[in-house]
Amino acid sequence: MIVRGAWIETPATQAVCTALSKNGHQVFFVGGCVRNALLGVAVSDIDIATDALPEETMRCAKEAGLNAIPTGIEHGTVTVVSGGIAHEITTFRSDVETDGRHADVAFSKSIEEDAARRDFTMNALYAGADGTIHDPLGGLQDLNDRHVRFIGDANQRIHEDYLRSLRFFRFTAHYGNPALGIDADGLAAVAENLDGLARLSRERVGAELLKLMSAQNPSMAVAAMRSSGVLAVVLEGGDDRALAPLIHLEQSLGISPDPIRRLAVIAGAPDKDALRLSRADHKRWAMMRDEVESMKTASHLGYLHGAAFAIDVLLLRAALFEQPVVASAIAESNKGDIAEFPIKAKDLPGFSGPALGEKLRALEAKWIASSFTLTREELLA
């Protein structure tokens, strides 16, 4: 089998392959770029595996006039920039010792050893510079079946890096076959290793949850997280019962997936250190949950926060409280978004200081209650 596409055939990328191969080194594309290309999904990052040691990779790149950056040279990784495209090149490796978060590695000359240390069989697919597929572990059949399966012993793979427990659910959400369900052996191994999740940095956990929630329909994977005990560990108080209804609403209304909206339907905003999300994401999550409980109308929400945020809140209310989202409410959100309060401070010359602010707020509340229909003259009257 041969994989094709602009990502592999572009001269800039082929120049990187040639820089290594002309010096006698093996060159294979690996991981996400191969997996996505075979699935017909867009390729974003280009990872290359080679038997060249990192210093030799640096030398070959510089000889070819390419920019080589030692981004993780102690772990065997060099980033080579060619034609403005970053190529992450890593020497074949095998794990010597791991602590569940980091691994001490030994460089290898074997593609089989390199494949064996990866997480899932579908991520252990390699492609030569000409696109020829190399499948040392039988991952191609799993990819065709959309079966997300750990390589070898699932417990051992998880012990090497406990983040793989969360990646298992994320990859199942993005690439798994819903009809096939979640891999039973993998789920059992995840459930046996819950204690390891506490050793992960909150930044890594938060990043994985955002990636998981960006899948078109992560409800099956999140339900498996709940049944295995993972959800309670990473998202205290999390309850995914309203997630599937939310996703159904999104799809029926043609609204794109939003990770924060989906996290907000599962749990109240967490402590700011719980997932270490960005301040903007944490603030938005907290505001959503606050406004879900408020009595504000769709137009009021649109006026205060914009139409997109108002629709987020309407979707959350519908999923959590089994309320319908009607077209008129969406229209009201848009109406509020573009509404402009017609009164300015200069329109109230008889007021100043706190009294002015109080009067403006009172008039604004009256204007909002009228669905923005009261004119400047009517308000001042």
Side-chain angles (χ1 to χ4, degrees):
M1 175 178 280
I2 295 178
V3 65
R4 302 189 185 281
W7 68 275
I8 192 173
E9 295 167 357
T10 180
T13 294
Q14 285 296 310
V16 175
C17 298
T18 301
L20 291 164
S21 62
K22 76 176 185 180
N23 284 283
H25 298 297
Q26 300 179 64
V27 182
F28 295 98
F29 296 97
V30 66
C33 57
V34 180
R35 179 197 66 231
N36 285 13
L38 288 170
L39 290 174
V41 178
V43 172
S44 54
D45 301 320
I46 300 180
D47 293 315
I48 294 174
T50 179
D51 60 352
L53 295 175
E55 294 79 4
E56 180 65 9
T57 297
M58 297 275 292
R59 186 188 68 78
C60 291
K62 290 177 179 177
E63 278 186 359
L66 304 175
N67 185 21
I69 307 165
T71 46
I73 198 165
E74 67 276 11
H75 300 295
T77 300
V78 174
T79 299
V80 175
V81 180
S82 175
I85 303 170
H87 305 77
E88 192 167 278
I89 304 175
T90 303
T91 305
F92 293 155
R93 300 180 294 181
S94 61
D95 290 334
V96 175
E97 184 178 353
T98 63
D99 63 3
R101 293 188 302 170
H102 308 289
D104 292 328
V105 300
F107 298 135
S108 170
K109 296 292 184 181
S110 166
I111 191 174
E112 289 77 17
E113 285 187 353
D114 188 71
R117 70 174 299 276
R118 296 180 181 273
D119 49 11
F120 310 114
T121 55
M122 64 171 57
N123 289 339
L125 293 168
Y126 298 72
D130 63 353
T132 301
I133 295 296
H134 298 260
D135 182 15
L137 300 178
L140 188 57
Q141 186 61 55
D142 284 338
L143 183 68
N144 290 335
D145 294 339
R146 297 295 189 101
H147 183 186
V148 180
R149 184 167 64 89
F150 282 102
I151 291 170
D153 183 273
N155 275 288
Q156 183 178 344
R157 296 287 81 75
I158 292 171
H159 289 165
E160 291 165 354
D161 184 354
Y162 289 110
L163 191 69
R164 286 175 172 171
S165 288
L166 298 183
R167 285 170 59 84
F168 174 63
F169 297 109
R170 192 240 294 185
F171 274 81
T172 297
H174 281 275
Y175 303 110
N177 179 355
L180 185 66
I182 198 160
D183 182 77
D185 292 337
L187 188 63
V190 167
E192 291 174 15
N193 290 280
L194 295 181
D195 291 345
L197 294 172
R199 303 175 63 180
L200 298 172
S201 73
R202 298 298 91 189
E203 289 88 351
R204 295 182 80 193
V205 172
E208 276 300 317
L209 286 181
L210 291 177
K211 292 174 183 177
L212 165 64
M213 293 300 173
S214 70
Q216 284 297 316
N217 190 348
S219 57
M220 180 192 74
V222 177
M225 289 176 68
R226 170 176 35 81
S227 67
S228 64
V230 171
L231 186 62
V233 174
V234 299
L235 202 56
E236 186 176 355
D239 183 343
D240 66 306
R241 286 178 295 181
L243 179 60
L246 173 66
I247 292 170
H248 175 73
L249 286 166
E250 291 173 346
Q251 294 176 344
S252 63
L253 294 170
I255 295 174
S256 299
D258 182 271
I260 298 300
R261 183 199 305 131
R262 290 172 170 185
L263 286 171
V265 87
I266 293 174
D271 179 86
K272 64 180 181 180
D273 294 324
L275 295 180
R276 300 285 177 87
L277 302 177
S278 70
R279 288 184 179 180
D281 282 344
H282 188 275
K283 180 179 179 181
R284 182 164 166 256
W285 184 345
M287 286 174 58
M288 282 185 192
R289 290 298 302 211
D290 287 344
E291 295 293 21
V292 161
E293 302 287 346
S294 78
M295 300 297 290
K296 295 186 181 75
T297 63
S299 58
H300 193 174
L301 290 168
Y303 174 64
L304 292 177
H305 308 296
F309 184 91
I311 292 170
D312 286 336
V313 174
L314 294 176
L315 289 171
L316 292 176
R317 287 175 178 172
L320 289 165
F321 308 133
E322 299 181 359
Q323 298 176 354
V325 178
V326 296
S328 60
I330 294 177
E332 285 295 307
S333 299
N334 290 313
K335 178 181 176 182
D337 191 357
I338 62 175
E340 293 187 18
F341 183 44
I343 303 298
K344 308 296 182 186
K346 66 182 181 180
D347 296 321
L348 302 169
F351 295 86
S352 62
L356 174 61
E358 184 177 345
K359 185 64 174 177
L360 284 169
R361 287 190 294 272
L363 290 174
E364 185 179 38
K366 189 175 182 180
W367 174 69
I368 292 170
S370 76
S371 293
F372 318 112
T373 59
L374 289 175
T375 65
R376 174 179 176 276
E377 288 72 23
E378 288 169 331
L379 287 167
L380 291 175

